[in-house]
Amino acid sequence: MGLTGAARLAGVMGWPVAHSLSPRLHGLWLDRYGIDGAYVPLAVHPDRFAEAFRGLVALGFRGANVTIPHKEQAFALCDRLTGRARAIGAVNTLVIGEDGLVTGDNTDAFGFIENLRTDAQATGAFEGPALVLGAGGASRAVVHGLLAEGVPEVRLANRTRARSETLAEVFGQCVRVVDWPVPHAACADVRLAVNTTSLGLGGGDMAPLLDVLPALPAEALVTDIVYKPRITPFLLAARARGHRIVDGLGMLLHQARPGFEAWFGTAPEVTADIRAAILSDLGETSA
Ligand code: ATR
């Protein structure tokens, strides 16, 4: 539908931003719910982020998503932070109030958990120890989400051990650092294995990742936060071994829900046709 002068505005700030799927996703929802609003890509150079951040407020935007490389700068600039943004140490969603104050939220943990909660494949995945591979920014959101969901223990393995130790210090005793490559004994009773390393994208030495699979119990669920390729080499190998798998696209779709609701006033749903439309943008099918 066309915009009126009263249209609500939001967007995504990134550098680069051209690859972002968010404008398409929010655009599909705006059409679906017949909302007088727009969500636009905002290519913002890191040197001009603070300026752009204040510009959004001056322009009357309802808010924005923030993506690479701006998540930490956004964290520092917000007037208020939600508890989960504080815990994760980064911001991916800005909500601008009528008073012009900016609240920084982080919806990545929410997206990760909702993706599993809404997938029948994932039944029981939170009811035992989880193995998280990788200790970067994405891992921090995943660990926060798992602990908030009541997972009793998170075993954290990362090539650079110091990074997993830092996360364990931040999150406390339910997080246990394990070696990389992961000792098989640390996999024995795992209910959920999550790859948050960029090895999902392909390239790099995949062996330490793939070596986890034979040590997992048959009923363990395996997931990856990378969604392009939709079925990563890790998921492909897990599926070949008979594991239930959940791909990472749902995390992207679900993390967008809280922002859309805050800016446009309607709680959007992740439906099969929305997922199919985004998959087709990625050049993927759901097979
Ligand atoms: P993100 O915010 O997406 O998590 P990041 O902070 O750059 O990105 O983290 C990337 C993760 O992938 C890290 O856990 C990184 O391990 P290191 O901390 O040792 O760098 C992991 N990673 C990247 N390339 C890897 C490789 N070839 N082998 C193992 N781990 C790798």
Side-chain angles (χ1 to χ4, degrees):
M1 91 180 224
L3 300 177
T4 74
R8 299 172 180 209
L9 301 178
V12 54
M13 297 195 283
W15 187 266
V17 81
H19 66 282
S20 173
L21 295 168
S22 296
R24 272 280 288 158
L25 172 60
H26 287 275
L28 288 165
W29 277 334
L30 288 167
D31 283 349
R32 162 130 332 157
Y33 301 112
I35 292 169
D36 185 17
Y39 181 104
V40 293
L42 300 163
V44 176
H45 188 276
D47 291 348
R48 306 197 69 178
F49 182 77
E51 209 181 324
F53 182 96
R54 286 188 291 274
L56 285 183
V57 179
L59 288 165
F61 272 56
R62 297 281 176 134
N65 284 122
V66 178
T67 187
I68 292 166
H70 303 314
K71 289 183 178 188
E72 284 77 19
Q73 265 205 84
F75 183 86
L77 287 170
C78 285
D79 300 300
R80 292 184 282 242
L81 294 166
T82 62
R84 59 193 181 183
R86 223 179 271 282
I88 296 166
V91 152
N92 76 340
T93 303
L94 306 176
V95 179
I96 303 172
E98 283 177 15
D99 52 6
L101 295 179
V102 184
T103 301
D105 192 9
N106 190 312
T107 64
D108 285 336
F110 171 85
F112 173 74
I113 296 295
E114 282 292 292
N115 185 31
L116 297 185
R117 255 204 213 138
T118 54
D119 194 316
Q121 290 291 320
T123 309
F126 302 132
E127 287 163 14
L131 176 65
V132 175
L133 305 158
S139 168
R140 192 162 164 155
V142 166
V143 172
H144 172 73
L146 291 172
L147 295 177
E149 199 58 26
V151 165
E153 183 185 338
V154 173
R155 296 181 192 149
L156 192 56
N158 193 52
R159 179 180 59 179
T160 310
R161 190 181 171 100
R163 286 184 96 184
S164 30
E165 282 169 351
T166 301
L167 280 202
E169 275 166 32
V170 169
F171 287 111
Q173 55 189 0
C174 290
V175 177
R176 185 156 72 83
V177 173
V178 297
D179 287 341
W180 178 275
V182 182
H184 282 192
C187 303
D189 52 348
V190 159
R191 296 296 289 268
L192 170 67
V194 188
N195 175 42
T196 75
T197 73
S198 42
L199 288 171
L201 298 163
D205 178 11
M206 295 290 298
L209 201 56
L210 298 180
D211 183 55
V212 163
L213 296 172
L216 292 176
E219 65 276 13
L221 175 81
V222 178
T223 186
D224 202 317
I225 63 158
V226 167
Y227 55 83
K228 190 172 175 67
R230 188 178 73 82
I231 306 295
T232 62
F234 184 55
L235 292 183
L236 201 60
R239 188 166 64 182
R241 299 191 64 87
H243 286 288
R244 294 171 296 148
I245 61 167
V246 174
D247 67 61
L249 181 64
M251 177 176 174
L252 172 85
L253 304 179
H254 286 284
Q255 65 76 32
R257 285 168 41 205
F260 188 93
E261 182 173 4
W263 308 319
F264 301 118
T266 298
E269 270 187 88
V270 174
T271 51
D273 60 329
I274 294 272
R275 187 179 153 88
I278 298 296
L279 271 177
S280 124
D281 286 359
L282 283 167
E284 300 253 1
T285 62
S286 47

